[in-house]
Amino acid sequence: DAKTTQPPSMDCAEGRAANLPCNHSTISGNEYVYWYRQIHSQGPQYIIHGLKNNETNEMASLIITEDRKSSTLILPHATLRDTAVYYCISLTFQGSARQLTFGSGTQLTVLP
Amino acid sequence: DTEVTQTPKHLVMGMTNKKSLKCEQHMGHRAMYWYKQKAKKPPELMFVYSYEKLSINESVPSRFSPECPNSSLLNLHLHALQPEDSALYLCASSHGTSGRETQYFGPGTRLLVL
């Protein structure tokens, strides 16, 4: 099973870029890296995922290293509403299904 | 529509009660999930249904009984729970279970067992 390691907490000034790192050194070659976030007392929200190439959508950018052992989620202009726990997620193989296994996550606090 | 709905939002029950949590999605997803989340911990997978059949049971105690009446609905029946079962119960759905589909989560049901 691929495991992920994230710093427990980070602060970011409002309007600045937030860069959230994740180590996933045991991820398999065909497994995607997923990022979700959870705002307090709400359900997790999908942000982005990628395999090898860098990805960008309306919420964030995902930079994956060439060896795929780590990735960085970038929120280009953090706002107070981006304060949340951010999960870098591995996939666990169970029989014929692959399931999300949440790591401990990073509490991002965006400061005014 | 990318919404997963869960009812009730809050539930308080005694250890001898029987209650049910409900989850609904209308995105045409064929995989649905139950997760349990304790305070300040990440969500933990409990059950996975794929095409209305239970495909994964993560060694969950029998006092939790899932049911998938159709492709849009997922229930979690609760009976004889313990106080340590108090948690946020999250439902999610996805197109399939290959691992390349985004899971969409509901807002959760916050359960308190007295």
Side-chain angles (χ1 to χ4, degrees):
Chain A
D1 297 350
K3 303 294 184 189
T4 61
T5 305
Q6 300 176 254
S9 64
M10 293 181 65
D11 292 341
C12 176
E14 188 178 17
R16 304 296 294 269
N19 297 281
L20 294 98
C22 177
N23 287 320
H24 36 76
S25 58
T26 60
I27 198 169
S28 299
N30 62 348
E31 289 184 348
Y32 284 73
V33 177
Y34 278 82
W35 284 82
Y36 282 73
R37 73 180 183 184
Q38 188 172 24
I39 297 171
H40 182 61
S41 295
Q42 298 183 19
Q45 177 189 23
Y46 165 79
I47 301 173
I48 199 167
H49 71 282
L51 182 63
K52 296 180 182 178
N53 301 318
N54 299 337
E55 302 286 345
T56 296
N57 63 21
E58 64 277 6
M59 290 184 68
S61 295
L62 177 61
I63 308 298
I64 303 173
T65 58
E66 194 168 340
D67 62 9
R68 291 187 17 94
K69 291 187 177 182
S70 66
S71 61
T72 300
L73 179 74
I74 301 172
L75 308 179
H77 305 286
T79 70
L80 299 178
R81 289 178 295 179
D82 292 322
T83 292
V85 178
Y86 286 76
Y87 293 104
C88 171
I89 293 172
S90 67
L91 297 176
T92 303
F93 189 77
Q94 296 253 13
S96 61
R98 295 180 185 271
Q99 307 307 326
L100 299 179
T101 299
F102 286 78
S104 54
T106 296
Q107 171 66 58
L108 174 69
T109 302
V110 179
L111 304 171
Chain B
D1 181 9
T2 58
E3 187 178 25
V4 176
T5 59
Q6 290 187 245
T7 56
K9 291 185 178 180
H10 301 274
L11 180 62
V12 180
M13 60 186 291
M15 290 188 285
T16 59
N17 291 157
K18 285 185 181 181
K19 297 287 184 182
S20 296
L21 309 184
K22 297 186 184 302
C23 173
E24 190 167 2
Q25 57 86 15
H26 295 287
M27 295 178 276
H29 290 171
R30 303 312 299 270
M32 297 186 76
Y33 311 78
W34 281 115
Y35 289 83
K36 174 181 178 179
Q37 185 174 26
K38 301 283 282 184
K40 299 189 183 301
K41 297 291 186 182
E44 294 180 344
L45 184 66
M46 300 175 71
F47 302 105
V48 179
Y49 272 83
S50 180
Y51 289 84
E52 293 105 72
K53 294 190 187 313
L54 184 64
S55 64
I56 292 178
N57 176 340
E58 290 284 2
S59 302
V60 179
S62 60
R63 57 185 183 268
F64 295 91
S65 176
E67 178 196 19
C68 190
N70 61 55
S71 60
S72 300
L73 296 174
L74 185 66
N75 298 323
L76 186 62
H77 303 297
L78 314 172
H79 174 53
L81 294 193
Q82 303 297 310
E84 59 264 29
D85 296 321
S86 298
L88 180 68
Y89 288 85
L90 294 161
C91 173
S93 70
S94 65
H95 281 294
T97 57
S98 72
R100 297 176 182 175
E101 298 90 1
T102 300
Q103 287 191 22
Y104 294 88
F105 284 81
T109 292
R110 191 163 297 281
L111 174 67
L112 177 62
V113 182
L114 301 176

